Amino acid sequence: MKVIVCENYDEMSAKAFEVMKELLDAKKDAVLGLATGSSPVGLYKEMIQYHKDGYSYKDIKSYNLDEYVGIDRKDPQSYYTFMYENLFKDIDIDLNNTHVPFGSTEADCKAYEDALSEVSIDLQVLGIGQNGHIGFNEPGTPFETLTHIVDLTENTREANARFFDNDINKVPTQAISMGIGTIMKSKKVLLVANGENKADAVKAMIEGPIDTACAASALQNHADVVVVLDKAAASKLTK
Ligand code: F6R
C-alpha cells in the first residue's frame, strides 16, 4: 500500500484527485467506483473543478459501492441523491452511465454484480468506517463476498445518524453493498480518510493482521492501493 499523509482535508482531497487525474487524462472512458460519505466530498469538488476547467466526463462510467435498503432513490437521504447532489449534477457525466445499486433481494445483488462483471473498475474510491468497514462490509464479512444485503451495525448507524437528523432510529438497518470480493477486483484502489476518529481503523487496515475483524485489512492483499490521509487519521501509524 502506498500511504500519503497530508496536512488537512483539503490537501488530502487535492492529493487524491492527483491520483484520479492521471487515470482521467489517460482514459477518457475510464470506469470509476465511487463512494458516498464525508470523506470523498472534497475529491468530488476537485472533480467538479476539473470539469469547469474543461474536462469532459461524458464517456466516464461510474458504479457506486452501496445504497440503503428501503429508501427511495429520490429520497434526500438516498446515496443516489447524495451522488447526484455532490457530483453528478455538476459534471457532464451521462446519468445513464452512472450506477448505484438498488434493492433488497438476492436477485438485486446478482443483477448489480452481473452489471459489474461486464466492466472492469479502473479506480475504486473508498472511505473507511470507524470499525474498518469498506463499502458496508462490516467486521466479520468474509473477504470473498460479492454484492450482498448487509445488516448495518449499531456503530455504523450511529456514525451515519448525522445525515438523519441525528436520530439513529431513522437510519435504515440494512444496505445493499458491493462485497470485499467485488472491491478487490478493481484495478486500483484510492482510499481517503480524515479525522482522529478514523485513526484506529486506519492503523488496523495498514499495520494490523489481515483479518475479517477489519474489513479494510483485505486491501493489504491488493496489488495497487493508494491511501491518502490527513494527519489526524494517520496519527496512530507507527511507520
Ligand atoms: C460509503 C461507504 C462507507 C463510507 C464510510 C466512511 O459509500 O461505503 O464505507 O466510506 O462509512 O464514511 P464517511 O466518509 O462519511 O466517514
Side-chain angles (χ1 to χ4, degrees):
M1 286 186 185
K2 181 175 177 194
V3 181
I4 302 170
V5 181
C6 302
E7 271 308 305
N8 52 40
Y9 182 83
D10 288 347
E11 194 186 313
M12 176 196 84
S13 304
K15 279 274 177 231
F17 183 67
E18 271 177 33
V19 175
M20 183 185 278
K21 184 176 175 296
E22 241 178 74
L23 170 69
L24 296 175
D25 289 347
K27 197 171 173 190
K28 304 279 176 206
D29 58 351
V31 181
L32 302 177
L34 299 177
T36 57
S38 319
S39 313
V41 168
L43 167 63
Y44 297 159
K45 288 203 170 107
E46 298 278 343
M47 288 177 73
I48 292 165
Q49 186 56 49
Y50 201 39
H51 173 58
K52 287 185 181 149
D53 294 343
Y55 185 82
S56 174
Y57 292 87
K58 72 177 173 40
D59 294 323
I60 299 283
K61 289 194 180 70
S62 74
Y63 289 82
N64 262 79
L65 283 168
D66 42 21
E67 176 62 281
Y68 290 118
V69 167
I71 282 195
D72 192 76
R73 217 158 249 240
K74 297 224 167 91
D75 192 289
Q77 256 84 31
S78 80
Y79 279 0
Y80 181 84
T81 302
F82 180 97
M83 290 311 301
Y84 184 77
E85 292 297 331
N86 286 286
L87 182 63
F88 300 156
K89 77 172 169 41
D90 292 320
I91 60 176
D92 64 342
I93 196 165
D94 180 347
L95 288 179
N96 293 317
N97 286 343
T98 67
H99 307 82
V100 179
F102 187 76
S104 59
T105 66
E106 286 221 357
D108 295 323
C109 297
K110 187 172 180 308
Y112 198 61
E113 199 64 39
D114 286 350
L116 282 165
S117 67
E118 280 168 26
V119 294
S120 188
I121 292 184
D122 293 298
L123 182 70
Q124 175 66 57
V125 174
L126 294 177
I128 184 170
Q130 291 172 39
N131 63 6
H133 72 213
I134 46 173
F136 270 137
N137 295 286
E138 301 284 30
T141 309
F143 286 169
E144 60 280 4
T145 312
L146 301 178
T147 300
H148 61 304
I149 302 296
V150 182
D151 291 325
L152 299 176
T153 62
E154 180 98 359
N155 175 295
T156 295
R157 293 178 64 232
E158 255 167 36
N160 288 5
R162 67 193 195 279
F163 298 115
F164 291 85
D165 308 324
N166 285 316
D167 181 357
I168 188 171
N169 297 312
K170 291 188 184 165
V171 185
T173 54
Q174 287 190 315
I176 179 170
S177 176
M178 281 188 200
I180 299 172
T182 322
I183 293 168
M184 292 294 282
K185 286 187 209 166
S186 57
K187 292 184 198 155
K188 188 179 184 97
V189 172
L190 171 61
L191 187 144
V192 281
N194 65 289
E196 214 185 325
N197 60 338
K198 298 293 174 69
D200 285 322
V202 164
K203 183 178 171 62
M205 164 176 69
I206 297 173
E207 296 180 354
I210 302 174
D211 190 284
T212 58
C214 174
S217 68
L219 297 174
Q220 291 180 36
N221 285 329
H222 192 289
D224 192 359
V225 179
V226 182
V227 179
V228 190
L229 306 169
D230 77 347
K231 271 206 300 208
S235 60
K236 294 200 173 156
L237 293 176
T238 50
K239 291 163 216 154

